[in-house]
Amino acid sequence: MGGSEAPGFAIEVRGLWVRLGRLDVLRDVTLAVARGERVGLVGPNGAGKTTLLRALATLLSYDRGTVRVAGYDLPRDGQAARAAIGYAGHRPHLYEHLTARENLRFFARLYGVADAEARADAALAAVALTHVAGGRAGAFSRGMQQRLALAAAMAHAPDVLLLDEPDAGLDATSVAHLPDAIATLCPHATVLFSTHDRAVAQALGARVVELRGGVVAKDASSAERVASQAQAPAGRGSEPPSPAHQAGGQVVVSPPGRGDGGQVAPLPAQHAQGQVVPSPPGRGETPAVAWSGEVERRPLGFFAAASALIEKDLRVEWRAREQFPTLLVFTLLLALVFDMAFVIPAADAAAVAAGTLWGSLLLGSTLAGIRLFAAEHDRGTLAGLLLAPVDPSAVFLGKFALLVAQSAVVGMVQLTVLSVLLNVPLLNAAMLAALGLAAVAMGAIVAMQSALIVSARARELLMPLLALPLAVPVLLASIGATHAALGLTPAGTNLPWIGLLAVSAAVFLSLAVVLYPHTVHT
Amino acid sequence: MAHTSLPVRATRLAIGPLRGWRELALYGGLLALMALDLYLIFVFAPTERVQGDVQRIFYFHVGSAWLAFVAFFVVALGSVGYLWRRTPRWDYLAVGSAEIGVIFTTLTLATGSIWGRVVWGVWWTWDPRLTTTLVLWFIYVAYLALRTYLDNVATRRRMAAVLGIFGFVDVPIVWFSVQWWRSLHPQPTILQQGGGMPREMLVTLLVSVATFTLLYAVLLRQRFALERAADQAAALRDLLRAQAEIGG
């Protein structure tokens, strides 16, 4: 089924009402954007431009009205819609410790782009960043970061491109080159963007819609368009996004010049297939070549998404080294402080070792957990993940897995160090089993609580307050299992504790996976 | 273009002077039940042979603990309701119940501590039931703290709801802790084979539990109305401010 059967709208908004906190930011907004059309939103600060774009990008829920993007009803079909949407906000959703190419490859992979590597290279070329493809995004200038963020938004060839002030931070040459980049990477995309500069809107060949005080102040055509569309509902609700066509569960976006059913696509003529697109003059960069292949998007499975996230987190941690070394030293230091605070008779060394080991590990993982989520939240990259068509629980599972891996490695080091310092035989199979289960249970609790408070004030202070009481059963069971493993309690008392650890791990992890999506949807 | 706003529903506030025979019956019934309970505790119930009169604190202690468990169950219920329906009244229910639960967990710990000082000779011992009840208190104090640290109303309600469900996992652990771990704390006496206490004590205990349950219902009703009134007041305040800004 092709996308050219009915004219339809790529974006259809009726009576949209958004309240943020206690203020009505959008009031009864109605807007219709035809497929392939470009619309520029203008208006003063606080007009509601960003809110409208965020609502369309599924980042905000709304109070009243209906919203349909790329043929999908929001919020019901949010996940399907996200696959067809590309969004670049005020803050670039980039990982500063990853290179430009790695950033683009990661986002292309999250959207299920089959050949993410090639697509990343094409996107880099389109925004004239090929010469710095191996450079870390954090070292880029504001303008380069903005170009990279725009490339990331277009890397999966979205059907609807939502850009919040795409010209912010760009020099005049880059702004002039923006239409070419869009034409190269997603030639059929419907583009809705906000800008303070009407000249930019005109340069992009866009229809201008003015927002003021949360209402559409000037837009002659949308209300009539929506009304006329309502009278001719043929095909609506079953149309796939245009110009993509769906085949066997995957979405194939045709390159320019193929299979477009005459939709509005006001692009410069030079963007025919395979044609060279000039790069901005004076930068000495490799000329960009228009994308000449098909972009295949296959919905990414739950575990494939989680593994992509884990791989990304491991790579970031390997480069940044901002968590693991600190966590390791911190837990060792805690063990040292505990042991120095008490005079330990040799006979009590085993009992002290158990408390020291698990107490320090729990405190350490509590702080590591909040950092893991805070880093993603503060850099704005969490919003980037939530924009992708992946199950939010997969995002949780990725963070959780990294936290468990960190805690397990730190626990192993602790077991070794305390065995030596306290002369207690802690390295045995029973202790390793307890460590594995405790790491999972503590990881689930800590990751869940971190997700809850990542946007709270004084979150580092709040974190232990939330996580430690819930972790008490895990702590008690771990200490009980250690006492049994060290022979402090009668033989056979180990199993109930291991059982309690296993039950705690299963209950807390299951609940966290189910509840996590509720913590991220705004 | 005319500026309109989402309507702020004006609802009758349930706080204030007594209205109608229903409220009179509710408060009158609670007062009568409290008076009856005090009579049963201090006059009707026999004095325990070993512990003496201090044992009478048992009726307050068990009543408070029961109320706290019910309150935390209602927090979980309100939290599930909020995540499911996303209507504020479920959140009013959860936050109101959490506050009452924390107060009565505090009373449970305090009455238990006074009783323990006489019977066990210590104010506190790291017994599993005591420890887990203290943990329970910390979980719901953290629940209330979390709410104060989140400024955005919708986020606050959502995160609190998630914690209200996640935290409730600890409640059964507290309940079964006596069975799971060796404990100084007595087993639930009503549930023992053949009954563990004289009939007069059992009647007094059951009336105490009923009194505390009714007290909880009355307190929750008031707290719910207060939370709703505060929410409406805030909405009206914002509406007036927004209108003043538009007008200015």
Side-chain angles (χ1 to χ4, degrees):
Chain A
M1 187 163 58
S4 57
E5 289 171 4
F9 295 117
I11 298 169
E12 211 177 329
V13 178
R14 295 166 197 242
L16 179 65
W17 207 299
V18 175
R19 170 175 279 196
L20 290 182
R22 300 183 192 277
L23 286 179
D24 299 322
V25 182
L26 292 182
R27 304 151 180 257
D28 200 21
V29 168
T30 293
L31 179 72
V33 182
R35 286 181 178 153
E37 192 183 13
R38 295 176 180 191
V39 171
L41 293 169
V42 297
N45 290 333
K49 305 185 295 291
T50 296
T51 304
L52 177 58
L53 288 169
R54 285 175 66 83
L56 294 174
T58 75
L59 282 173
L60 271 182
S61 61
Y62 52 91
D63 299 277
R64 274 198 228 158
T66 57
V67 176
R68 197 172 163 84
V69 179
Y72 298 103
D73 287 322
L74 300 183
R76 193 190 64 192
D77 303 325
Q79 188 150 330
R82 281 193 280 277
I85 296 172
Y87 173 81
H90 275 217
R91 294 182 64 189
H93 303 148
L94 299 170
Y95 291 94
E96 59 187 60
H97 293 290
L98 295 185
T99 67
R101 181 179 283 119
E102 285 167 345
N103 265 294
L104 293 183
R105 197 172 52 202
F106 169 68
F107 284 111
R109 197 175 153 194
L110 272 193
Y111 281 84
V113 173
D115 192 356
E117 190 79 42
R119 186 65 185 169
D121 285 339
L124 282 169
V127 294
L129 287 176
T130 303
H131 67 298
V132 287
R136 293 189 191 183
F140 284 10
S141 70
R142 171 76 181 93
M144 288 164 80
Q145 285 189 351
Q146 177 70 355
R147 277 149 61 198
L148 185 57
L150 291 168
M154 294 187 277
H156 59 289
D159 305 314
V160 173
L161 192 55
L162 304 169
L163 306 175
D164 196 0
E165 296 186 26
D167 51 323
L170 295 185
D171 57 26
T173 313
S174 299
V175 172
H177 196 65
L178 188 57
D180 296 340
I182 296 170
T184 306
L185 291 173
C186 38
H188 302 288
T190 306
V191 187
L192 179 65
F193 62 97
S194 68
T195 179
H196 286 291
D197 190 350
R198 280 176 186 269
V200 169
Q202 282 156 5
L204 280 162
R207 172 163 69 97
V208 174
V209 172
E210 186 176 342
L211 279 177
R212 197 172 282 271
V215 296
V216 176
K218 278 185 196 163
D219 176 30
S221 55
S222 280
E224 293 98 42
R225 284 168 173 223
V226 171
S228 64
Q229 181 71 3
Q231 287 163 5
R236 285 181 60 236
S238 59
E239 291 168 35
S242 173
H245 55 274
Q246 294 179 323
Q250 69 188 41
V251 179
V252 181
V253 179
S254 302
R258 282 193 206 170
D260 179 28
Q263 297 301 313
V264 182
L267 305 175
Q270 71 267 30
H271 300 296
Q273 189 174 346
Q275 194 162 343
V276 175
V277 177
S279 60
R283 290 180 180 272
E285 291 154 349
T286 313
V289 179
W291 178 251
S292 58
E294 288 190 334
V295 180
E296 287 181 29
R297 292 197 308 253
R298 295 188 179 126
L300 207 57
F302 183 85
F303 290 105
S307 77
L309 288 156
I310 292 168
E311 186 191 316
K312 179 267 300 173
D313 277 340
L314 283 174
R315 201 182 287 269
V316 168
E317 178 57 28
W318 182 254
R319 299 262 171 77
R321 293 189 183 88
E322 67 179 18
Q323 285 220 4
F324 183 73
T326 315
L327 173 65
L328 183 62
V329 175
F330 178 69
T331 48
L332 287 173
L333 199 59
L334 277 177
L336 191 69
V337 169
F338 284 155
D339 292 339
M340 284 174 66
F342 306 103
V343 177
I344 307 165
D348 296 339
V352 171
T356 303
L357 169 70
W358 298 110
S360 58
L361 199 59
L362 178 58
L363 284 172
S365 79
T366 300
L367 292 181
I370 187 63
R371 275 319 307 156
L372 199 60
F373 279 81
E376 197 91 63
H377 177 267
D378 295 353
R379 288 167 189 155
T381 47
L382 189 61
L385 297 182
L386 299 178
L387 282 164
V390 296
D391 189 332
S393 294
V395 175
F396 175 83
L397 210 64
K399 296 286 172 205
F400 158 80
L402 195 69
L403 198 58
V404 170
Q406 281 188 356
S407 300
V409 174
V410 169
M412 285 289 291
V413 175
Q414 287 273 70
L415 286 176
T416 312
V417 170
L418 288 174
S419 294
V420 174
L421 289 183
L422 296 172
N423 196 24
V424 176
L426 285 168
L427 281 170
N428 55 58
M431 283 303 298
L432 292 180
L435 177 63
L437 289 169
V440 170
M442 284 182 191
I445 293 169
V446 166
M448 183 73 241
Q449 307 293 56
S450 302
L452 281 181
I453 63 163
V454 74
S455 61
R457 283 180 284 116
R459 60 190 174 204
E460 279 80 9
L461 286 175
L462 196 55
M463 185 62 199
L465 196 65
L466 258 70
L468 297 185
L470 269 185
V472 164
V474 179
L475 196 63
L476 288 174
S478 306
I479 290 172
T482 308
H483 285 170
L486 294 174
L488 295 178
T489 49
T493 51
N494 193 28
L495 274 182
W497 297 118
I498 294 288
L500 181 59
L501 273 179
V503 168
S504 301
V507 168
F508 284 119
L509 181 58
S510 311
L511 258 182
V513 167
V514 171
L515 290 173
Y516 179 74
H518 292 286
T519 70
V520 292
H521 283 290
T522 49
Chain B
M1 180 171 287
H3 291 283
T4 53
S5 179
L6 288 175
V8 177
R9 269 177 297 175
T11 46
R12 189 176 65 85
L13 302 182
I15 51 175
L18 295 180
R19 286 193 186 88
W21 63 269
R22 279 193 193 139
E23 301 214 2
L24 192 65
L26 184 66
Y27 290 100
L30 178 61
L31 278 174
L33 201 57
M34 282 176 143
L36 173 68
D37 195 30
L38 287 174
Y39 170 78
L40 292 176
I41 291 170
F42 290 108
V43 181
F44 177 71
T47 305
E48 213 273 339
R49 195 173 39 195
V50 180
Q51 298 178 24
D53 278 334
V54 74
Q55 184 270 341
R56 294 179 198 276
I57 206 168
F58 160 76
Y59 305 107
F60 297 99
H61 179 68
V62 174
S64 303
W66 160 256
L67 191 157
F69 277 120
V70 171
F72 295 143
F73 175 73
V74 172
V75 175
L77 200 69
S79 301
V80 171
Y82 182 75
L83 290 184
W84 182 37
R85 307 293 301 178
R86 297 289 168 112
T87 47
R89 59 185 179 162
W90 289 103
D91 185 60
Y92 304 157
L93 188 73
V95 67
S97 200
E99 286 180 4
I100 299 168
V102 166
I103 289 169
F104 281 88
T105 308
T106 310
L107 284 177
T108 306
L109 289 168
T111 50
S113 183
I114 294 165
W115 193 11
R117 178 69 182 88
V118 177
V119 178
W120 299 334
V122 288
W123 292 104
W124 182 262
T125 178
W126 292 104
D127 167 84
R129 173 60 73 85
L130 273 63
T131 306
T132 43
T133 306
L134 184 63
V135 168
L136 202 62
W137 184 85
F138 272 113
I139 289 173
Y140 287 92
V141 166
Y143 171 90
L144 296 175
L146 174 69
R147 300 186 70 99
T148 66
Y149 281 94
L150 287 164
D151 297 325
N152 182 287
V153 180
T155 307
R156 181 194 309 149
R157 288 177 178 156
R158 222 157 14 88
M159 301 306 180
V162 171
L163 185 58
I165 299 167
F166 208 65
F168 189 67
V169 171
D170 217 48
V171 176
I173 298 176
V174 173
W175 186 255
F176 291 112
S177 61
V178 183
Q179 278 79 29
W180 289 350
W181 295 305
R182 278 177 299 172
S183 173
L184 282 173
H185 194 282
Q187 301 285 327
T189 44
I190 305 175
L191 304 178
Q192 287 174 1
Q193 285 285 325
M197 64 172 71
R199 199 173 60 85
E200 292 83 355
M201 281 187 172
L202 185 62
V203 168
T204 308
L205 178 66
L206 292 176
V207 172
S208 277
V209 167
T211 308
F212 273 88
T213 308
L214 187 61
L215 175 65
Y216 167 73
V218 169
L219 287 174
L220 184 62
R221 186 171 177 273
Q222 293 289 69
R223 187 63 189 83
F224 182 96
L226 183 64
E227 189 69 17
R228 188 175 57 186
D231 200 32
Q232 287 175 356
L236 285 170
R237 205 164 37 238
D238 290 334
L239 183 64
L240 287 173
R241 192 165 54 222
Q243 283 176 347
E245 281 170 11
I246 292 165

